[in-house]
Amino acid sequence: MPIVIKQARTSQQLVDILEHRHRCHFQLDGKLVDHMDVLPSTMNTVAYLDNRVAGSARSVLYEKTNSSCNEPYSFSDSSQKLSGLIGYIDMVCLSISEHLFPTIFLYLLKMCIYQLAQNGFKHIFFLAPETMSAQVKTLGFSAVSAPDKGFIPNVLHTADFIKTFEAGFADREILRFQEIFYYTVFEPGEIMVVEGERGNNAYVSENGEVEVIVKSKEGLVSISHIPTGQLIGEIAMITNEPRTASLICKETTACVSFDRGDFLRILYAEPHRSIDIFKILSRRILSSNKQIAELRKA
Amino acid sequence: MALETKVLLALTDRNLSLQLIEKFKNKFPDCPLSFEVTEDGRRAIEEVKLYRPCVVVVDLKLPSINGSELVAEIFRAFSDCQIIVAAEKMDQVDIGLVKIELPILDWEKFINELTNCLPLDFQIQYGLISRNTKFHEELSIWSSKYRKDSGKPSLKTESWIFLKNISPNQKNEPVNAIKSLSPSEKGTVLNLSGFVWAELLVIGIFTGGLMGSFYLGEENGFLKAGIQIFLTSLLIVNGLGFFLLRLFSRARN
């Protein structure tokens, strides 16, 4: 089962997060010291593995006047140089499976940052443990204080993050549906899509190699690999027809995903947005036509 | 989130809905799928909100609401459901919806469409579809060469919190945060007190100097001012320094 990382929107997801935090706190401290806030300035992210919560993260609006955020480091010097809305990732709770731990951590944070950026936050602070500083830096964070401390306050400029995020999309029109995106992370050897089965979601792989397999008389045949940034599975998702090929991840593959229901909800509410999908599909048909022409020539 | 295994039949002809239920129950007598029936468009939207069905069968000619508006409203109410549209003319039907032509001539096809729209896990669990197990086995063998370790990754019960909440609503939270740190991390936090001591010393010298300057016109004024500076610095550094150390040692315990 892939790891699914989403912005928590439903009451059930918020309850899942609360239970998860409770469990993490209880095991760590032996008592509950958490509370749930669902304030407008609070955003919650949740990671599911096998339909169980594997991780959660909370981010809030960072206010310069908030003196308690100066513990144990003062952010005031750096925050004075920053402009616009500033966010603060203030809690990351994980139930871990050893080999999945860095993956969940990384993509949970990524989804958190993405969510903050979507809400207009210009800069994000994160108080990362030093052990995770390498991973945090891969996201574009830069250390604010000296790196010899146990915790390192980092700051991220969301414009840079979004630029990197968007650069990975070959089918750029799909970026206009960003509000319904979430992350799905597949482990090496996981089957993303099964030929002949109906699928409710489409993916854009952000990294990792995905192999395309089809059934033939001789058995299974690998026909190609999906390049990163390309939209996968959109036709079966829209038409509700069975998938035409199976997809297998050769390595850890993170995908930006969206569900059929959310996608159709947008299209039916704002039909003019379907033009973006037509562009992608037209390009696909054009490319297929070229391939057919080349094959005929050969 | 698990979907309720419920189907909403929003068809103008109630008999058609009842017929469908009967035929489905006859074909899959052990399947625990439940049905709700309505003949009104507005009512259908309310029922979608209430029951959150996994499939909604919609007649585009339902009273009180236009067909495409109804579909948009259903998606807005609960986007995780699948919609099957029943219409007399197929050109009425929009993108992304499963279509059934009215009047229904082929019940088998209708039931198949309905079954296909149910969640895959549900279909497998109650034998609504026959899965090609040989093909799945082949795929599994093919993909096994990429797997790093055998078996499914399982979640350990061990939990980690990477960052404690430092929220203004929780006054004790910074103390709790420090409590949960490892010994080496606590040491790092305590190193901060070095800066605090230096800052206090500067404040002490400054305050002492200010107070000592009153003695400058008097006999032995410089000596008195010096003693004043020294004593004030000592008092501030010891007093506040002691308080801070007590705070950190509480945190350490």
Side-chain angles (χ1 to χ4, degrees), chain A residues 92-140:
Chain A
V92 178
C93 297
L94 292 174
S95 306
I96 61 160
S97 162
E98 226 161 72
H99 77 285
L100 287 176
F101 146 66
T103 316
I104 296 181
F105 179 81
L106 191 69
Y107 285 98
L108 198 62
L109 271 189
K110 225 170 172 178
M111 191 66 209
C112 236
I113 299 165
Y114 176 66
Q115 193 180 325
L116 283 164
Q118 285 289 300
N119 281 282
F121 285 79
K122 300 289 176 199
H123 307 279
I124 297 163
F125 280 119
F126 180 49
L127 202 65
E130 197 188 343
T131 45
M132 303 309 295
S133 67
Q135 277 172 305
V136 168
K137 278 177 186 168
T138 59
L139 297 177

Side-chain angles (χ1 to χ4, degrees), chain B residues 30-80:
Chain B
D30 299 327
C31 177
L33 191 70
S34 60
F35 293 87
E36 294 295 330
V37 177
T38 181
E39 295 103 52
D40 182 78
R42 294 274 166 208
R43 178 94 188 138
I45 298 165
E46 292 309 312
E47 297 209 351
V48 167
K49 286 179 189 166
L50 181 68
Y51 298 119
R52 301 163 77 82
C54 48
V55 182
V56 185
V57 183
V58 178
D59 189 336
L60 288 184
K61 282 188 175 171
L62 279 178
S64 78
I65 192 165
N66 165 284
S68 55
E69 199 183 323
L70 174 62
V71 171
E73 285 292 329
I74 291 173
F75 273 127
R76 197 173 301 150
F78 182 51
S79 63
D80 283 353

